[in-house]
Amino acid sequence: MNRTKSLPFDRTNHSAATAAPWRPGSLMGVALVAGLLLSGCKSQEVADEPPTVTVQVGAAEKQPIQRKVIADAVLYPRDQAAIVPKIVAPIKKFYVDRGSRVKAGQLLAELENQDLTGAHLKSQGGYQQAQATYDMEVQKVGQDAKLAKQTLDSQQKLYDSRQVLYKEGAISAKDVEDANVALTQARNAYELAQKQFDLKVAEGQVNSAKGDLVIADAQVSYTKIVSPIDGVVTDRPNYAGETPAAGAPLITIMDLSQVVARVHISQLDASRLKAGDEASISVPGLATPLKAKVTLVSPALDPNSTTVEVWAQAANPGGRVKPGVSGRVTMIGETVPHAIVAPLSALLTDTDGVTSMIVLDTDNKPHKKKVKVGIRDAGDVQITDGLQGGERVVTVGAFELDKMDDMSKAVIQVQAPKMPEEEEDQ
């Protein structure tokens, strides 16, 4: 009977043979479970950690704010006269040059006027002759009227006396009738003398001659070119002896003591301005703007541009600003001396038009507040409702905070605003 030979039992080998296949799997499972647990803990820690937002803030302060209207302008002199001669004649003499300062009424130039002077003398003689004739006629008619009146009075006395004598029977009726006829003739002569005293024909001749003299005076005066304003000669294109073209300016005078900036703005902006409002004019090359005042707000629209023309006038000492230069005019339509003013960059506007700002409390916790705005001036805005003076508003980072579901959980890091030099370096 064959028996299988039994092998001796090796506990060590058995243990190794049976345990070796399971050790790696066991370690990997433990590691995987541990990793998942650690990952879950870390995820929970990350989820629970509040977000950090870096912001910059500005202050809502009580201070004045102004409603400004700013527009580009072209500058003109306060007054200007381009003098065009009323007659065409050669230039006899100039009394001023370009750059000469002149006064109103000052003689600037003369044109040749010999022919006009002769015509003036002739007209003057005609007027004097007509006047003399008129005076003689007045004298003659006056004498005739006086003589006729004396004759009338004499005949009236004669007639009256004969009527008395006739009643007394001293004279006949025929004598009374003769006196009555003579009285009637004297009365008719006096009335005719009175009608002749109406010297309308003679007066008409005198007035006609006087009109000719006035025209001749005007023609001669046109040869003397005088300045209508105080100012400076800015143009004198001709020389003595030349004949200026008809309709061309002989001399141009400008009053440069003041400059007028003319701008065209919208109807809405124009409605906020009135004559007398403060303004300033900035001109290239001048470090300091010129102080000005609004002098005109046109009552009508420009039919082509549908804008309103507004003038702002400023002193121009030394004539530093040249007419025709472009500038920028800032006009102040309204000033609120005590307003809550905040940085415009802090303003948030929702899709429905509601405006708000993010405010930081003393613990740097952000809160969203609805605000109502008024005047906007450059980088500032007036808050008419919703803020108090001294509150801090977020200027940079407000948009990120506004997108959060709960901004109160955010950790706020307030960053100092960058200086202009730092921004240029970047």
Side-chain angles (χ1 to χ4, degrees), residues 195-213:
K195 292 180 180 180
Q196 290 178 345
F197 197 75
D198 186 3
L199 303 173
K200 290 184 178 179
V201 175
E203 288 178 355
Q205 292 175 348
V206 171
N207 290 334
S208 178
K210 187 177 181 179
D212 292 339
L213 180 59

Side-chain angles (χ1 to χ4, degrees), residues 48-55 360 363-366 401 404 406-414:
D48 293 339
E49 184 179 352
T52 300
V53 180
T54 301
V55 301
L360 296 185
D363 296 328
N364 282 350
K365 291 296 183 181
L401 290 171
M404 294 182 178
D406 187 2
M407 68 176 68
S408 62
K409 295 181 179 180
V411 176
I412 303 299
Q413 289 186 354
V414 179

Side-chain angles (χ1 to χ4, degrees), residues 67-396:
R67 187 188 300 278
K68 297 176 181 177
V69 178
I70 302 175
D72 294 327
V74 176
L75 274 60
Y76 295 82
R78 180 176 68 174
D79 204 354
Q80 177 177 334
I83 305 172
V84 178
K86 293 185 177 181
I87 61 173
V88 178
I91 300 169
K92 181 178 179 180
K93 186 176 182 181
F94 276 114
Y95 296 98
V96 293
D97 297 313
R98 284 188 180 182
S100 299
R101 295 190 174 275
V102 299
K103 296 289 185 181
Q106 180 177 335
L107 182 62
L108 307 177
E110 283 188 89
L111 304 179
E112 294 291 348
N113 60 1
Q114 292 181 355
D115 53 341
L116 296 176
T117 302
H120 175 265
L121 290 174
K122 183 178 180 180
S123 298
Q124 189 175 25
Y127 171 68
Q128 291 173 348
Q129 183 178 0
Q131 186 66 50
T133 301
Y134 174 78
D135 294 340
M136 291 175 61
E137 189 71 19
V138 170
Q139 185 178 3
K140 179 181 179 299
V141 172
Q143 290 176 352
D144 293 343
K146 183 178 180 181
L147 180 60
K149 183 67 169 64
Q150 291 173 351
T151 302
L152 175 62
D153 293 341
S154 177
Q155 292 296 328
Q156 183 69 47
K157 290 179 181 180
L158 178 62
Y159 174 75
D160 293 340
S161 65
R162 286 190 177 185
Q163 274 192 327
V164 173
L165 292 174
Y166 175 73
K167 291 179 181 179
E168 294 177 351
I171 61 173
S172 64
K174 183 178 183 304
D175 292 332
V176 176
E177 184 64 25
D178 291 341
N180 187 33
V181 172
L183 176 60
T184 302
Q185 292 175 347
R187 183 179 290 111
N188 292 336
Y190 176 70
E191 290 177 354
L192 180 60
Q194 286 292 101
K195 292 180 180 180
Q196 290 178 345
F197 197 75
D198 186 3
L199 303 173
K200 290 184 178 179
V201 175
E203 288 178 355
Q205 292 175 348
V206 171
N207 290 334
S208 178
K210 187 177 181 179
D212 292 339
L213 180 59
V214 170
I215 293 174
D217 281 337
Q219 293 292 320
V220 173
S221 69
Y222 293 157
T223 64
K224 297 182 183 297
I225 310 300
V226 297
S227 177
I229 61 172
D230 295 346
V232 178
V233 178
T234 58
D235 194 18
R236 203 202 75 177
N238 299 105
Y239 295 93
E242 294 182 336
T243 300
L250 180 66
I251 295 177
T252 300
I253 309 293
M254 290 185 181
D255 182 357
L256 303 180
S257 62
Q258 304 262 336
V259 289
V260 178
R262 302 181 186 181
V263 302
H264 287 82
I265 58 178
S266 67
Q267 301 178 54
L268 177 61
D269 287 339
S271 66
R272 298 167 176 167
L273 298 173
K274 63 183 182 303
D277 285 343
E278 298 291 332
S280 63
I281 304 174
S282 300
V283 180
L286 289 184
T288 305
L290 300 175
K291 293 183 178 180
K293 283 187 178 296
V294 175
T295 57
L296 172 69
V297 178
S298 177
L301 292 177
D302 184 316
N304 296 321
S305 61
T306 65
T307 57
V308 180
E309 186 174 41
V310 178
W311 292 8
Q313 185 169 317
N316 185 26
R320 295 178 299 169
V321 179
K322 307 302 180 186
V325 70
S326 297
R328 179 166 285 251
V329 181
T330 301
M331 297 164 286
I332 301 173
E334 179 185 359
T335 299
V336 180
H338 306 290
I340 304 298
V341 181
L344 183 59
S345 57
L347 188 66
L348 299 172
T349 303
D350 296 340
T351 55
D352 55 0
V354 176
T355 52
S356 59
M357 288 187 175
I358 307 297
V359 180
L360 296 185
D361 60 18
T362 55
D363 296 328
N364 282 350
K365 291 296 183 181
H367 305 278
K368 186 176 182 179
K369 287 188 176 182
K370 292 182 179 180
V371 297
K372 293 182 179 180
V373 299
I375 297 173
R376 302 190 186 202
D377 180 20
D380 295 328
V381 61
Q382 176 193 9
I383 305 301
T384 59
D385 186 39
L387 290 183
Q388 297 179 352
E391 290 189 280
R392 296 183 301 159
V393 294
V394 177
T395 57
V396 176

